Amino acid sequence: MNIVDRPDIANNTHAGVLIAAGLTSYFLNESRPKTALIPPVAGASLLLLSSGIKSGDRTVAHAAVGVTSLLSIMTGVLFSKAIAPSEATKQKFKPEVRQRRASVFGLMTLTGLAAVGVYVAGFIQKRKKAESIA
């Protein structure tokens, strides 16, 4: 079995990372920012889409790709800002907080890009199979 044959596994892994990273950020920050709850909500949404992805529902798969791609872009931007902070950010956050932010955003970006890669590879594989049959 190849991971491309099971995009639901990539989806569930990314969803788990989103949930864990978001809740970690929320509880480690004393101000409890509501924006830290965006990844867990998105992760839970992706988990709800998992059965449709596993069954091969194209609409659900495309929705998952869209959500995952959007989140990967957002976390990628936040990751780049965390690893190359502005002077204002340096003054606002302690070095250990900036490091934690970079780690969390980097992990979410990495798993998101990996999941998108698995989705796209699966789409390509299915299209090639359909063309070879026809």
Side-chain angles (χ1 to χ4, degrees), residues 36-65:
L37 296 176
I38 294 170
V41 169
S45 300
L46 287 172
L47 284 177
L48 291 174
L49 297 176
S50 188
S51 63
I53 293 170
K54 187 174 183 177
S55 69
D57 186 329
R58 292 176 66 174
T59 304
V60 172
H62 284 89
V65 171

Side-chain angles (χ1 to χ4, degrees), residues 6 12 16 25 32 50 53-54 58 75 79 91 103 121:
R6 293 290 310 272
N12 291 345
S25 293
R32 303 288 190 261
S50 188
I53 293 170
K54 187 174 183 177
R58 292 176 66 174
T75 58
F79 173 66
Q91 292 175 2
S103 299

Side-chain angles (χ1 to χ4, degrees), residues 128-134:
K128 284 182 180 180
K129 281 183 185 177
E131 288 175 358
S132 68
I133 293 173

Side-chain angles (χ1 to χ4, degrees), residues 77-92:
V77 168
L78 293 169
F79 173 66
S80 68
K81 288 181 179 181
I83 61 171
S86 65
E87 287 303 316
T89 302
K90 286 180 182 178
Q91 292 175 2
K92 184 177 179 180

Side-chain angles (χ1 to χ4, degrees), residues 13-27 36 39-40 43 104 107-108:
T13 302
H14 180 56
V17 167
L18 289 173
I19 292 167
L23 291 176
T24 298
S25 293
Y26 181 78
F27 288 113
V104 168
L107 181 62
M108 289 190 291

